[in-house]
Amino acid sequence: MRLTTKGRFAVTAMIDLALREGDGPVTLAGISERQKISLSYLEQLFGKLRRHGLVASVRGPGGGYCLAQPLKEISVADIISAVDEPLDATQCGGKENCQDEHRCMTHDLWTNLNKRMHEYLDSVSLNCLVEQQRGRPSIVNVLRDERARRGVSRSVEPQGEAAPSASGASLPA
C-alpha cells in the first residue's frame, strides 16, 4: 500500500495553486511548468477537483483555476479522495473476503490503519501545507563571504605596495 502519483500530484498542484491564487486565477500550464507535471495529467486531476467543489475554473483571457473553498476547509484527505485515490491497506477493499472469500486474520489491523491514515490526512489542511511552504527558506542560493561570518576581517592591500612577510621582509602583494 502506498500513495500513488495521482494523489501526490493532486496535493502538490493544490499547494501551488493556493500559493499563487492571490494574484488571480492560476493556469494549469504554469503549475505544469513549475511542478514538472504533465499538462494533460493536470487537466484530468483538476476536472475531478472541480467536480468535487475544491477548485473553480475561470474562463477567458487571464483565466485559470482558483480555490472554491477557504484553505482551512480543504484537507489532504479531501484532495486525495476527490481524485479517486484509494487509500486502503486491506487486500479486500473492506469487503472481508480477503482469503478464500473469508475474512483474513489481519483484516482488523489493516482496517485500523486505514482509519488512522484517513484521520491523519483529514487533520492536515491545505492551509497548513501552504504555511509550511511559506516558511521554507528560498531556493535561491546566496553567496556569502564565510570569513566575514566567522569574524575574520577581510582587508585588501593596495595594488603595488609590498606586504610584510612573517620574517619582516617585504613581499609583493
Side-chain angles (χ1 to χ4, degrees):
M1 170 220 42
R2 61 180 250 224
L3 187 61
T4 66
T5 302
K6 187 188 299 184
R8 287 186 291 116
F9 281 180
V11 172
T12 300
M14 288 290 283
I15 294 169
D16 188 289
L17 171 66
L19 284 167
R20 289 166 179 80
E21 78 162 354
D23 297 329
V26 179
T27 65
L28 293 184
I31 296 172
S32 173
E33 185 177 315
R34 286 185 296 275
Q35 303 305 324
K36 309 297 183 231
I37 302 171
S38 154
L39 180 58
S40 62
Y41 199 67
L42 283 172
E43 288 168 346
Q44 293 172 31
L45 293 176
F46 272 74
K48 292 178 180 187
L49 293 167
R50 186 181 48 76
R51 285 190 292 279
H52 281 83
L54 299 179
V55 298
S57 60
V58 177
R59 293 179 181 249
Y65 284 88
C66 55
L67 296 175
Q69 298 178 29
L71 282 174
K72 291 181 179 179
E73 292 180 20
I74 300 174
S75 73
V76 173
D78 294 334
I79 297 167
I80 291 171
S81 64
V83 296
D84 301 324
E85 177 68 22
L87 282 176
D88 188 1
T90 64
Q91 285 183 330
C92 63
K95 296 177 186 171
E96 298 185 11
N97 62 353
C98 331
Q99 190 173 27
D100 298 326
E101 297 302 317
H102 295 88
R103 182 183 171 127
C104 68
M105 293 188 298
T106 57
H107 184 83
D108 290 336
L109 171 70
W110 307 127
T111 301
N112 286 331
L113 177 59
N114 287 345
K115 181 180 173 191
R116 296 267 166 81
M117 281 191 309
H118 184 74
E119 287 171 354
Y120 172 70
L121 295 175
D122 199 42
S123 75
V124 179
S125 70
L126 184 57
N127 184 62
C128 180
L129 297 176
V130 166
E131 290 304 316
Q132 283 178 348
Q133 289 303 305
R134 287 185 177 144
R136 291 179 75 186
S138 174
I139 295 174
V140 177
N141 290 325
V142 177
L143 297 176
R144 294 189 186 121
D145 185 344
E146 289 297 314
R147 294 173 292 187
R149 192 173 68 96
R150 290 182 295 218
V152 177
S153 91
R154 183 179 167 217
S155 62
V156 177
E157 299 292 328
Q159 288 281 75
E161 291 185 19
S165 71
S167 66
S170 290
L171 300 173

